[in-house]
């Protein structure tokens, strides 16, 4: 196949707001045949996390590309608390947030007929060889696994006819010293930013988590999250039914 162009608009740390405000206009101007929209983890790592706002932004992005006729690629993702190896009381609130995002992505992917990859579970999520030093972004091996799985889905849908990408990496796995260097340089800045943004709220969530576990009422937290997701999707459906909805 000739004449293929690839444009990467991804920016490290981008949230759904950034995708809507900065990346969507550029992406629509390119009029892509295939577009990948994989976002949401960074939203869960902010004190401003709001599943209803996330759902509305994803609906805007998915809908705009679907209206242009682009093949939309989406994916649900593992929870960042587990990836970072946080203690249970800190990890569970983040896991709950990510499950909420994934539930929205699932529902909207179905609504817009996206090619959706279930990437939130499986052995690859716990294999350190698949991840970069920050433990939040896939390394080369991880990206190749995602590419392989997306290719299989596209081939199944009759949208990919060429050979599957190779799972074998071109570059050696980063050494332990390289990972430590990243953590000592880039990683410290990341931790500092999260400490002033997410950490105070996360500690509050962790305290709430421990109180509910002590009382045996942890299920209430899951029900609260499910209700929030349902409300977010219901709000989108109500907006779609409005006669003056754009």
């Amino acid at each position: 196949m000739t004449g293929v162009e690839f444009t990467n608009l991804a920016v490290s740390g981008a949230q759904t707001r950034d995708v809507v405000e900065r990346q969507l206009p550029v992406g629509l101007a390119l009029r892509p045949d295939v577009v990948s929209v994989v976002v949401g983890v960074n939203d869960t790592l902010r004190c401003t996390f709001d599943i209803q706002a996330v759902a509305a932004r994803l609906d805007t992005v998915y809908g705009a590309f679907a209206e242009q006729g682009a093949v939309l690629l989406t994916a649900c993702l593992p929870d960042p608390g587990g990836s970072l190896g946080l203690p249970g009381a800190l990890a569970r609130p983040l896991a709950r947030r990510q499950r909420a995002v994934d539930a929205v992505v699932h529902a909207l992917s179905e609504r817009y007929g996206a090619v959706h990859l279930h990437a939130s579970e499986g052995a690859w999520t716990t294999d350190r060889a698949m991840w970069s030093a920050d433990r939040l972004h896939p390394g080369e091996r991880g990206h190749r696994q995602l590419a392989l799985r997306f290719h299989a889905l596209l081939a199944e849908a009759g949208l990919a006819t060429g050979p599957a990408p190779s799972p074998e990496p071109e570059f050696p796995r980063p050494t332990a010293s390289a990972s430590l260097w990243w953590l000592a340089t880039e990683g410290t800045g990341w931790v500092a930013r999260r400490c002033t943004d997410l950490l105070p709220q996360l500690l509050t969530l962790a305290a709430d988590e421990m109180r509910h576990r002590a009382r045996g009422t942890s299920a209430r937290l899951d029900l609260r999250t499910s209700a929030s997701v349902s409300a977010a999707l219901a709000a989108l459906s109500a907006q779609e039914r409005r006669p003056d909805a754009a």
Side-chain angles (χ1 to χ4, degrees), residues 27 36 44 48 67-68 135 141 150 156 180-181 224 227:
S36 169
T44 70
T48 54
E67 187 176 356
Q68 277 196 347
R135 300 190 180 186
R141 288 168 174 79
F150 264 123
E156 183 180 345
L180 288 173
W181 176 253
R224 187 187 304 169

Side-chain angles (χ1 to χ4, degrees), residues 102-170:
D102 287 345
V104 166
V105 171
H106 278 285
L108 294 181
S109 295
E110 183 175 356
R111 174 182 295 184
Y112 291 107
V115 176
H116 179 68
L117 176 63
H118 299 275
S120 60
E121 301 174 348
W124 87 282
T125 64
T126 56
D127 185 351
R128 285 290 296 118
M130 298 292 173
W131 297 88
S132 60
D134 65 9
R135 300 190 180 186
L136 283 176
H137 298 89
E140 183 188 1
R141 288 168 174 79
H143 277 112
R144 286 181 175 275
Q145 284 300 314
L146 293 174
L148 276 168
R149 295 172 69 180
F150 264 123
H151 181 274
L153 292 174
L154 289 167
E156 183 180 345
L159 299 171
T161 57
S166 171
E168 298 303 321
E170 294 182 13

Side-chain angles (χ1 to χ4, degrees), residues 51 55 63 72-73 84 153 169 171 193 210 218 223 232 241:
I51 190 59
L72 180 64
L73 309 183
L84 291 169
L153 292 174
F171 304 99
R193 290 190 294 273
M210 289 187 288
S218 296
L223 290 173
R241 289 195 297 268

Side-chain angles (χ1 to χ4, degrees), residues 171-225:
F171 304 99
R173 180 181 175 182
T175 62
S177 58
S179 297
L180 288 173
W181 176 253
W182 181 90
L183 291 171
T185 54
E186 297 293 331
T188 52
W190 186 91
V191 170
R193 290 190 294 273
R194 294 289 71 74
C195 284
T196 57
D197 184 309
L198 175 66
L199 188 56
Q201 185 190 52
L202 186 56
L203 291 175
T204 301
L205 293 173
D208 193 34
E209 189 84 29
M210 289 187 288
R211 281 196 299 270
H212 276 280
R213 285 181 69 84
R215 298 169 183 169
T217 57
S218 296
R220 292 182 183 178
L221 296 173
D222 295 324
L223 290 173
R224 187 187 304 169
T225 298

